């Protein structure tokens, strides 16, 4: 066996040094992560001349809060945000509901071929979404779902990842709770709704938040299926903003910053469930 590296050996002998290194690493990662966001906000409040300069400065020479109103005037940004809430919220709701039902079936119901079926279902995680994009579009088009809410939401109403995560959580729930409910006269559905769902609220809330965020940032599918402002989401709206208004970087980044605010608010509102769900669900099951 080779001897330990001196630096690692020193860290192991000194908990204080290890803690300081961990804190420094956290600060470094946080700074690298927040730098683009801070730059986006600073440029968003710059004037047109400052943002278009050959050598732009990051700090605004003068602040221009009127850029917020200008961003809403150039494109129907408010409509795009509402559409995104409908799309992301509806998709997350359906994905969470279908994932909870399928996960409970895979975790508790006994039927022939259950493990094989679950394995085949998980293999869909290895298929890139771009591969199924054209077949999905053809199917939705044949059902006259182009530029409609059902056509945008229903193709994303099922998720193998959500089934896997919730199944892991359901496997960790003791069967004694269900058996006690069955002895009291509850059927399978009542047991699922009254016993399993209340216990799984943190895991379900975490999955819903994850899905809402992923669909909020979804660009490819709404770009393909949406043809008008009535269903166009914020991610697609930013593309329209850039194509119609050129490289007005301050207004484009202001629109991008506005579309980011709801996600920040959502995270702070659901932070308690978010952390608790990550701790209790996912890889925590057996």
């Amino acid at each position: 066996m080779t001897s330990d590296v001196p630096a690692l050996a020193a860290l192991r002998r000194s908990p204080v040094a290890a803690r300081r290194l961990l804190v420094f690493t956290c600060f470094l990662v946080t700074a690298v992560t927040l730098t683009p966001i801070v730059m986006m906000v600073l440029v968003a409040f710059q004037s047109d001349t400052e943002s278009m300069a050959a050598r732009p400065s990051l700090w605004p020479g003068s602040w221009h809060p009127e850029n917020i109103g200008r961003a809403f005037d150039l494109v129907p940004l408010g409509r795009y945000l509402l559409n995104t809430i409908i799309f992301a919220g509806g998709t997350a709701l359906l994905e969470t509901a279908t994932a909870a039902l399928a996960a409970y079936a895979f975790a508790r119901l006994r039927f022939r071929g259950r493990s094989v079926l679950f394995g085949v279902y998980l293999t869909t995680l290895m298929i890139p979404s771009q591969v199924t994009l054209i077949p999905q579009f053809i199917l939705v088009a044949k059902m006259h779902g182009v530029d409609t809410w059902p056509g945008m939401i229903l193709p994303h109403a099922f998720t193998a990842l959500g089934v896997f995560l919730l199944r892991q959580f359901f496997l960790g729930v003791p069967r004694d709770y269900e058996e006690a409910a069955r002895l009291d006269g509850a059927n399978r559905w009542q047991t699922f709704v009254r016993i399993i769902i209340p216990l799984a609220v943190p895991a379900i809330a975490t999955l819903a938040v994850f899905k809402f965020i992923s669909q909020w940032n979804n660009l490819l599918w709404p770009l393909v299926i949406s043809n008008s402002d009535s269903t166009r989401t914020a991610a697609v709206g930013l593309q329209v903003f850039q194509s119609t208004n050129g490289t007005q970087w301050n207004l484009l980044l202001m629109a991008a910053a506005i579309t980011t605010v709801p996600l920040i608010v959502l995270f702070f509102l659901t932070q308690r469930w978010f952390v608790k769900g990550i701790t209790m669900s996912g890889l925590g099951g057996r």
Side-chain angles (χ1 to χ4, degrees), residues 26-38:
C26 291
F27 273 110
L28 181 62
V29 172
T30 303
V32 173
T33 304
L34 291 180
T35 296
I37 300 175
V38 174

Side-chain angles (χ1 to χ4, degrees), residues 39-59:
M39 293 174 60
M40 175 182 67
V41 174
L42 292 177
V43 176
F45 284 98
Q46 289 181 355
S47 64
D48 296 345
T49 304
E50 286 181 313
S51 63
M52 295 294 293
R55 294 182 178 179
S57 60
L58 292 180
W59 194 264

Side-chain angles (χ1 to χ4, degrees), residues 34-106:
L34 291 180
T35 296
I37 300 175
V38 174
M39 293 174 60
M40 175 182 67
V41 174
L42 292 177
V43 176
F45 284 98
Q46 289 181 355
S47 64
D48 296 345
T49 304
E50 286 181 313
S51 63
M52 295 294 293
R55 294 182 178 179
S57 60
L58 292 180
W59 194 264
S62 58
W63 294 83
H64 294 270
E66 68 274 8
N67 288 349
I68 300 176
R70 294 175 62 192
F72 277 94
D73 292 337
L74 290 178
V75 293
L77 190 57
R79 178 64 185 181
Y80 294 160
L81 289 173
L82 178 61
N83 292 343
T84 310
I85 293 174
I86 297 174
F87 171 64
T91 305
L93 180 63
L94 286 178
E95 279 187 296
T96 305
T98 57
L101 292 171
Y104 182 74
F106 279 121

